[in-house]
Amino acid sequence: QVQLVESGGGLVQAGGSLRLSCVASGGTFSMYSMAWFRQAPRREREFVATISWGGGVTRYSDSVKGRFTIIRDNAKNTVYLQMDNLKPEDTATYYCAADEGPAENMAVGYLSDRYFWGKGTLVTVSS
C-alpha cells in the first residue's frame, strides 16, 4: 500500500504563495490518480484539485481555480500543489490522496474509504 507524506504548509499573508509537496512510497506512484483535499476546523473535508496518472487531466474546485495548480513528477513520486494569491478562506489542513480510479472521480468530491491519505499539512493565511 502507498504511504503519503505532505509538507510545505505554514503561515502566509493574503496574496502570498505556498507550494505543498506530497511524497509517495510503498506503491507504484505512476498508477495512481492523485488529489488534494482540505479541511478547516468544524468543516468537512473538501476537494481542491486532482491530476491523472500521466498528468494530462486536471480538475479544480471553483474556489481555487485560477489560483492553484496541481502537478506531478512520477520520477520523484511526488505531487505538488502550487498555491498563489492565497486568501484567508484558504486556511485549512491540506491532505494528499491517492486512488487507482480516474482523476475525474476524485473531482466529484466523494470521500471514498478506498483512498490513501496523508496526515496533512496546515496552511494558515492571514489578512
Side-chain angles (χ1 to χ4, degrees), residues 35-103:
W36 289 94
F37 290 75
R38 66 186 182 186
Q39 187 169 19
R42 302 182 62 186
R43 299 287 300 276
E44 197 164 315
R45 194 169 299 186
E46 64 180 3
F47 169 76
V48 176
T50 188
I51 188 166
S52 62
W53 299 342
V57 176
T58 59
R59 297 287 186 271
Y60 299 90
S61 68
D62 290 341
S63 61
V64 307
K65 65 176 58 176
R67 300 187 298 117
F68 291 9
T69 304
I70 188 170
I71 190 169
R72 68 189 297 160
D73 187 339
N74 288 345
K76 297 180 179 179
N77 292 346
T78 302
V79 63
Y80 305 93
L81 184 68
Q82 177 65 45
M83 305 184 294
D84 298 317
N85 192 23
L86 283 160
K87 303 176 180 180
E89 52 263 43
D90 295 319
T91 295
T93 299
Y94 284 71
Y95 296 90
C96 181
D99 185 51
E100 295 180 352

Side-chain angles (χ1 to χ4, degrees), residues 2 23 28 94-95 97 112:
V2 64
V23 179
T28 305
Y94 284 71
Y95 296 90
S112 173

